[in-house]
Amino acid sequence: MKPFLRYLTSEQATNRLVIIGIVLGILFGMFLPEWALAQKALGKAFVAFLKMLVVPLVFASIYVAISGLGGLEQLRRIGLKTIGLYVLTTALAVLLAVVAMNLFPIGEAVSAEGLSYDRARDVAPFSLSAMLLSFIPTNVFNALATGSMMQVIVFAILFGIASLYLEEKHHSVMLDVFTGISEAMLKLARWVILFTPLGVFSLISYVVADQGVQTIIDLWKYILLVLGVLLLHGLVTLPAVMSLFARINPWKYLNKIKEVPLMAFSTASSAATLPVSMRVAVEKGGVQKETASFVLPLGATVSMDGTAAYLTIAVLYIANLAGVDMSMGDQLLLGFTVVALSVGVAALPSASLVMMVVILNQANLPIEYMALIVVVDRILDMARTSLNVTSDMVVAKTVDTINRKAQRDPAG
């Protein structure tokens, strides 16, 4: 009995049970929808436990990463590589989406009569200055309490840099404290992860029951194109970037960290997946803890490859539905806008709908057509979040590999 229990709690068994949980969840949601809707709280509790760990883990991990680097020069090197790769992968995702929509121009013009998207009224007009100011925590305790990730990251970075200038005795004490907090959060994450198969089953079955199979059938071309672009970016573009910059076999690495995109798919939240991403990147992916602690929390907030690709396709699809002909120049401008604004998409489920309203307003396209595609947003949200975290994991490994090679060969 004990060997069997040990196997059930092993990572190998957890990964297999997650796949089983997804399959059973789909079947349960299809054939017993009322029961699937009734057990919604189970999946929500699982995600809540994961999110419980995020703020202390992010703050402590970023502080430890920066404090442990030893100087601003090391921070500059890792920071520039990280931001550069995140912008590159997001831009490539958007470019792929634009190309796909031109090769397969789905969406025939239909009337907007009777269509409305009420949530658009609650979205404030976009302001670059307002977005940038929102990154600055005027009250750090409020930012920590509300989980405002960008504000937490900004303060953690500044706090970590400031600690580099403290006396050694104070610096070492603070480093020990936050290292302990980070380790404790990762230990809690391991315990929560044991319940992943059950949580995945609950989340998937609820989504299938709530969305219904018919909505998927009605929008199959749109769904297929989005999923095709996401898969192509995840299985071709990102491995190509890793192979080019890191000079390593991307497939071996992606196979080692496959549980991360699976977790992201079920939770539809980059933030909720972060504790799993950080543990897997270090323990299975071989990424240095200092690198993972800086790159992954930043990526969970600012790197949105899947979201950027999805927004590009959705906006071009709405343009086709509205009968608006967008030139290649308009499409490239749209792509640039999506890349620039993707940093403003919060790492929370369906936050991209808010960004879509902003982009549609910028492009002077009717928001009412969102009512036609919002019905499948949750399903596509799961897929694009999976790509978001896959991109984060690829960038973390790439940055880590480049830095290790630079340390071994400083002259090169």
Side-chain angles (χ1 to χ4, degrees):
M1 187 65 181
K2 288 184 178 180
F4 178 70
L5 290 176
R6 280 198 298 269
Y7 172 75
L8 284 180
T9 56
S10 68
E11 292 180 355
Q12 182 181 12
T14 300
N15 292 337
R16 292 176 178 174
L17 289 172
V18 166
I19 301 296
I20 295 173
I22 291 175
V23 174
L24 292 179
I26 293 172
L27 296 174
F28 188 62
M30 289 174 60
F31 297 108
L32 295 170
E34 293 184 1
W35 289 17
L37 292 173
Q39 54 80 56
K40 176 182 178 182
L42 186 62
K44 282 194 168 185
F46 173 67
V47 175
F49 273 115
L50 285 171
K51 288 185 176 180
M52 173 186 73
L53 310 174
V54 172
V55 171
L57 178 61
V58 167
F59 187 87
S61 297
I62 289 181
Y63 174 85
V64 171
I66 293 176
S67 187
L69 287 174
L72 293 181
E73 180 60 26
Q74 293 89 331
L75 176 61
R76 183 186 66 82
R77 285 204 302 266
I78 190 175
L80 289 177
K81 291 187 186 79
T82 301
I83 297 299
L85 283 170
Y86 278 147
V87 172
L88 174 64
T89 58
T90 304
L92 290 174
V94 169
L95 180 61
L96 183 60
V98 170
V99 171
M101 277 298 292
N102 280 274
L103 291 176
F104 308 99
I106 60 171
E108 298 179 357
V110 296
S111 173
E113 186 178 352
L115 297 177
S116 65
Y117 185 64
D118 295 335
R119 283 180 59 183
R121 301 169 188 164
D122 302 325
V123 179
F126 174 75
S127 167
L128 179 61
S129 60
M131 186 182 80
L132 294 176
L133 286 172
S134 71
F135 296 165
I136 304 172
T138 55
N139 184 334
V140 67
F141 296 104
N142 182 65
L144 292 168
T146 58
S148 301
M149 292 307 300
M150 183 56 80
Q151 294 186 3
V152 171
I153 289 172
V154 167
F155 182 75
I157 291 174
L158 295 175
F159 193 60
I161 292 173
S163 73
L164 295 174
Y165 295 92
L166 296 177
E167 292 183 26
E168 179 59 30
K169 61 180 181 180
H170 298 311
H171 178 244
S172 60
V173 170
M174 291 181 64
L175 185 58
D176 285 343
V177 170
F178 284 104
T179 299
I181 293 174
S182 177
E183 291 294 330
M185 291 301 104
L186 289 174
K187 178 66 73 175
L188 280 173
R190 290 190 186 96
W191 296 344
V192 175
I193 288 167
L194 293 176
F195 296 94
T196 299
L198 189 59
V200 167
F201 168 80
S202 174
L203 292 166
I204 296 293
S205 63
Y206 173 78
V207 170
V208 172
D210 182 56
Q211 300 291 311
V213 178
Q214 189 59 44
T215 57
I216 299 174
I217 296 174
D218 293 341
L219 289 169
W220 70 270
K221 289 183 180 179
Y222 172 69
I223 294 172
L224 197 61
L225 186 63
V226 172
L227 294 180
V229 169
L230 297 183
L231 282 172
L232 192 60
H233 185 68
L235 298 178
V236 178
T237 311
L238 289 178
V241 169
M242 177 179 280
S243 180
L244 177 64
F245 288 98
R247 304 289 181 182
I248 60 175
N249 188 328
W251 307 109
K252 289 183 178 179
Y253 174 71
L254 290 175
N255 184 55
K256 291 177 182 177
I257 58 96
K258 59 182 178 294
E259 69 182 88
V260 175
L262 279 175
M263 175 69 78
F265 181 82
S266 60
T267 62
S269 171
S270 299
T273 310
L274 187 56
V276 182
S277 301
M278 294 181 65
R279 181 186 65 82
V280 172
V282 175
E283 296 179 4
K284 294 186 177 181
V287 179
Q288 288 181 319
K289 188 175 180 181
E290 292 78 9
T291 304
S293 297
F294 178 82
V295 176
L296 292 177
L298 189 64
T301 307
V302 305
S303 172
M304 298 289 165
D305 289 19
T307 301
Y310 164 76
L311 287 173
T312 304
I313 294 173
V315 172
L316 292 176
Y317 181 63
I318 287 175
N320 290 342
L321 293 177
V324 177
D325 183 26
M326 296 187 71
S327 66
M328 184 54 66
D330 293 333
Q331 294 181 44
L332 293 177
L333 180 60
L334 167 66
F336 178 80
T337 303
V338 171
V339 173
L341 297 183
S342 61
V343 67
V345 179
L348 297 171
S350 299
S352 59
L353 288 176
V354 175
M355 190 56 64
M356 194 187 302
V357 172
V358 172
I359 295 172
L360 288 173
N361 283 329
Q362 293 286 104
N364 294 316
L365 291 171
I367 296 171
E368 291 77 15
Y369 285 96
M370 286 182 65
L372 296 176
I373 62 174
V374 73
V375 290
V376 294
D377 181 74
R378 175 66 182 183
I379 295 171
L380 295 178
D381 194 10
M382 297 161 74
R384 62 183 182 254
T385 304
S386 183
L387 180 60
N388 288 342
V389 300
T390 301
S391 174
D392 298 345
M393 298 292 283
V394 165
V395 170
K397 183 64 175 179
T398 303
V399 170
D400 185 63
T401 304
I402 294 173
N403 284 340
R404 290 193 191 208
K405 290 180 178 178
Q407 291 169 1
R408 289 196 299 267
D409 183 20

Short mmCIF file of all heavy atoms in Angstrom, two decimals, residues 258-289:
data_model
loop_
_atom_site.label_atom_id
_atom_site.label_comp_id
_atom_site.label_asym_id
_atom_site.label_seq_id
_atom_site.Cartn_x
_atom_site.Cartn_y
_atom_site.Cartn_z
N LYS A 258 7.06 20.00 -19.74
CA LYS A 258 5.71 19.92 -20.33
C LYS A 258 4.58 20.09 -19.33
O LYS A 258 3.47 20.47 -19.70
CB LYS A 258 5.53 18.61 -21.09
CG LYS A 258 5.71 17.35 -20.27
CD LYS A 258 5.56 16.11 -21.13
CE LYS A 258 5.78 14.82 -20.36
NZ LYS A 258 7.17 14.64 -19.89
N GLU A 259 4.84 19.83 -18.05
CA GLU A 259 3.76 19.98 -17.07
C GLU A 259 3.37 21.44 -16.86
O GLU A 259 2.26 21.74 -16.41
CB GLU A 259 4.15 19.34 -15.74
CG GLU A 259 5.26 20.04 -14.97
CD GLU A 259 5.61 19.30 -13.70
OE1 GLU A 259 6.47 18.39 -13.76
OE2 GLU A 259 5.03 19.62 -12.66
N VAL A 260 4.29 22.36 -17.19
CA VAL A 260 3.99 23.78 -17.01
C VAL A 260 2.90 24.26 -17.97
O VAL A 260 1.91 24.85 -17.53
CB VAL A 260 5.27 24.63 -17.15
CG1 VAL A 260 4.93 26.12 -17.07
CG2 VAL A 260 6.27 24.27 -16.06
N PRO A 261 3.03 24.05 -19.30
CA PRO A 261 1.92 24.45 -20.18
C PRO A 261 0.62 23.70 -19.89
O PRO A 261 -0.47 24.25 -20.09
CB PRO A 261 2.44 24.14 -21.59
CG PRO A 261 3.64 23.27 -21.42
CD PRO A 261 4.20 23.61 -20.08
N LEU A 262 0.71 22.46 -19.41
CA LEU A 262 -0.50 21.74 -19.03
C LEU A 262 -1.20 22.42 -17.86
O LEU A 262 -2.44 22.57 -17.85
CB LEU A 262 -0.16 20.29 -18.66
CG LEU A 262 0.01 19.29 -19.81
CD1 LEU A 262 0.47 17.95 -19.27
CD2 LEU A 262 -1.28 19.15 -20.60
N MET A 263 -0.43 22.84 -16.88
CA MET A 263 -1.00 23.55 -15.74
C MET A 263 -1.60 24.87 -16.17
O MET A 263 -2.71 25.25 -15.75
CB MET A 263 0.09 23.79 -14.68
CG MET A 263 -0.36 24.62 -13.49
SD MET A 263 -1.55 23.76 -12.45
CE MET A 263 -0.44 22.67 -11.55
N ALA A 264 -0.89 25.59 -17.05
CA ALA A 264 -1.39 26.88 -17.53
C ALA A 264 -2.68 26.70 -18.32
O ALA A 264 -3.60 27.52 -18.23
CB ALA A 264 -0.34 27.56 -18.40
N PHE A 265 -2.77 25.62 -19.08
CA PHE A 265 -3.97 25.35 -19.87
C PHE A 265 -5.18 25.15 -18.95
O PHE A 265 -6.28 25.64 -19.25
CB PHE A 265 -3.75 24.10 -20.72
CG PHE A 265 -4.92 23.74 -21.59
CD1 PHE A 265 -5.12 24.38 -22.80
CD2 PHE A 265 -5.84 22.78 -21.20
CE1 PHE A 265 -6.21 24.07 -23.61
CE2 PHE A 265 -6.92 22.45 -21.99
CZ PHE A 265 -7.11 23.10 -23.21
N SER A 266 -4.99 24.48 -17.86
CA SER A 266 -6.12 24.18 -16.97
C SER A 266 -6.53 25.38 -16.13
O SER A 266 -7.71 25.60 -15.87
CB SER A 266 -5.79 22.99 -16.07
OG SER A 266 -4.66 23.27 -15.27
N THR A 267 -5.55 26.19 -15.68
CA THR A 267 -5.87 27.32 -14.81
C THR A 267 -6.19 28.59 -15.58
O THR A 267 -6.86 29.48 -15.07
CB THR A 267 -4.70 27.62 -13.87
OG1 THR A 267 -3.54 27.99 -14.64
CG2 THR A 267 -4.37 26.43 -12.99
N ALA A 268 -5.70 28.70 -16.84
CA ALA A 268 -5.88 29.90 -17.66
C ALA A 268 -5.34 31.14 -16.96
O ALA A 268 -5.86 32.24 -17.11
CB ALA A 268 -7.35 30.09 -18.03
N SER A 269 -4.28 30.97 -16.17
CA SER A 269 -3.69 32.10 -15.45
C SER A 269 -2.18 31.93 -15.36
O SER A 269 -1.69 30.95 -14.78
CB SER A 269 -4.29 32.20 -14.04
OG SER A 269 -3.59 33.16 -13.27
N SER A 270 -1.44 32.88 -15.92
CA SER A 270 0.01 32.85 -15.83
C SER A 270 0.46 33.00 -14.38
O SER A 270 1.44 32.39 -13.95
CB SER A 270 0.62 33.98 -16.67
OG SER A 270 0.28 33.84 -18.03
N ALA A 271 -0.26 33.83 -13.63
CA ALA A 271 0.10 34.05 -12.23
C ALA A 271 -0.07 32.78 -11.40
O ALA A 271 0.80 32.42 -10.60
CB ALA A 271 -0.76 35.18 -11.64
N ALA A 272 -1.20 32.09 -11.59
CA ALA A 272 -1.44 30.87 -10.83
C ALA A 272 -0.44 29.78 -11.18
O ALA A 272 -0.12 28.92 -10.36
CB ALA A 272 -2.86 30.37 -11.08
N THR A 273 0.09 29.81 -12.42
CA THR A 273 1.04 28.79 -12.86
C THR A 273 2.45 29.09 -12.40
O THR A 273 3.32 28.21 -12.43
CB THR A 273 1.01 28.69 -14.40
OG1 THR A 273 -0.35 28.56 -14.84
CG2 THR A 273 1.77 27.48 -14.91
N LEU A 274 2.70 30.33 -11.97
CA LEU A 274 4.07 30.76 -11.66
C LEU A 274 4.79 29.88 -10.63
O LEU A 274 5.97 29.55 -10.83
CB LEU A 274 4.06 32.22 -11.19
CG LEU A 274 5.41 32.88 -10.98
CD1 LEU A 274 6.27 32.80 -12.23
CD2 LEU A 274 5.23 34.33 -10.55
N PRO A 275 4.16 29.49 -9.52
CA PRO A 275 4.87 28.61 -8.58
C PRO A 275 5.34 27.30 -9.22
O PRO A 275 6.43 26.82 -8.93
CB PRO A 275 3.82 28.34 -7.49
CG PRO A 275 2.90 29.51 -7.56
CD PRO A 275 2.83 29.86 -9.00
N VAL A 276 4.52 26.76 -10.12
CA VAL A 276 4.90 25.54 -10.82
C VAL A 276 6.03 25.82 -11.81
O VAL A 276 6.99 25.05 -11.92
CB VAL A 276 3.69 24.94 -11.57
CG1 VAL A 276 4.06 23.64 -12.26
CG2 VAL A 276 2.53 24.71 -10.60
N SER A 277 5.93 26.93 -12.54
CA SER A 277 6.95 27.30 -13.53
C SER A 277 8.32 27.43 -12.88
O SER A 277 9.33 26.91 -13.41
CB SER A 277 6.59 28.63 -14.20
OG SER A 277 5.35 28.56 -14.84
N MET A 278 8.39 28.09 -11.75
CA MET A 278 9.67 28.33 -11.09
C MET A 278 10.28 27.03 -10.57
O MET A 278 11.49 26.81 -10.67
CB MET A 278 9.49 29.35 -9.96
CG MET A 278 9.12 30.73 -10.48
SD MET A 278 8.93 31.96 -9.16
CE MET A 278 10.60 32.04 -8.55
N ARG A 279 9.44 26.17 -10.03
CA ARG A 279 9.96 24.90 -9.52
C ARG A 279 10.45 24.02 -10.66
O ARG A 279 11.56 23.46 -10.59
CB ARG A 279 8.86 24.17 -8.74
CG ARG A 279 9.31 22.84 -8.13
CD ARG A 279 8.14 22.11 -7.50
NE ARG A 279 7.17 21.70 -8.49
CZ ARG A 279 7.27 20.60 -9.25
NH1 ARG A 279 8.35 19.83 -9.15
NH2 ARG A 279 6.33 20.29 -10.11
N VAL A 280 9.66 23.89 -11.71
CA VAL A 280 10.00 23.01 -12.83
C VAL A 280 11.22 23.53 -13.59
O VAL A 280 12.09 22.74 -14.00
CB VAL A 280 8.80 22.84 -13.77
CG1 VAL A 280 9.20 22.10 -15.04
CG2 VAL A 280 7.67 22.10 -13.07
N ALA A 281 11.31 24.85 -13.78
CA ALA A 281 12.44 25.42 -14.52
C ALA A 281 13.76 25.08 -13.85
O ALA A 281 14.75 24.75 -14.52
CB ALA A 281 12.28 26.94 -14.63
N VAL A 282 13.78 25.12 -12.53
CA VAL A 282 15.03 24.86 -11.78
C VAL A 282 15.27 23.36 -11.64
O VAL A 282 16.36 22.86 -11.96
CB VAL A 282 14.95 25.52 -10.39
CG1 VAL A 282 16.18 25.14 -9.55
CG2 VAL A 282 14.86 27.03 -10.53
N GLU A 283 14.25 22.62 -11.19
CA GLU A 283 14.45 21.21 -10.86
C GLU A 283 14.50 20.30 -12.08
O GLU A 283 15.23 19.30 -12.08
CB GLU A 283 13.33 20.75 -9.92
CG GLU A 283 13.34 21.45 -8.57
CD GLU A 283 12.22 21.00 -7.65
OE1 GLU A 283 11.48 20.06 -8.04
OE2 GLU A 283 12.08 21.57 -6.56
N LYS A 284 13.75 20.63 -13.13
CA LYS A 284 13.73 19.76 -14.31
C LYS A 284 14.41 20.40 -15.52
O LYS A 284 15.00 19.70 -16.34
CB LYS A 284 12.29 19.40 -14.66
CG LYS A 284 11.60 18.54 -13.61
CD LYS A 284 10.24 18.10 -14.11
CE LYS A 284 9.56 17.16 -13.11
NZ LYS A 284 8.25 16.70 -13.59
N GLY A 285 14.27 21.71 -15.64
CA GLY A 285 14.83 22.39 -16.80
C GLY A 285 16.28 22.76 -16.66
O GLY A 285 16.92 23.15 -17.64
N GLY A 286 16.83 22.67 -15.44
CA GLY A 286 18.23 22.98 -15.24
C GLY A 286 18.57 24.45 -15.29
O GLY A 286 19.73 24.84 -15.47
N VAL A 287 17.57 25.32 -15.10
CA VAL A 287 17.80 26.76 -15.09
C VAL A 287 18.30 27.17 -13.70
O VAL A 287 17.79 26.68 -12.69
CB VAL A 287 16.50 27.54 -15.43
CG1 VAL A 287 16.73 29.04 -15.39
CG2 VAL A 287 15.98 27.11 -16.79
N GLN A 288 19.31 28.04 -13.67
CA GLN A 288 19.80 28.52 -12.38
C GLN A 288 18.68 29.25 -11.63
O GLN A 288 17.89 29.98 -12.23
CB GLN A 288 20.99 29.47 -12.58
CG GLN A 288 22.27 28.79 -13.01
CD GLN A 288 23.41 29.78 -13.15
OE1 GLN A 288 23.23 30.88 -13.66
NE2 GLN A 288 24.59 29.38 -12.72
N LYS A 289 18.64 29.05 -10.33
CA LYS A 289 17.56 29.62 -9.54
C LYS A 289 17.52 31.14 -9.64
O LYS A 289 16.45 31.75 -9.68
CB LYS A 289 17.70 29.19 -8.07
CG LYS A 289 16.50 29.59 -7.22
CD LYS A 289 16.62 29.04 -5.81
CE LYS A 289 15.40 29.46 -4.99
NZ LYS A 289 15.48 28.96 -3.59
#
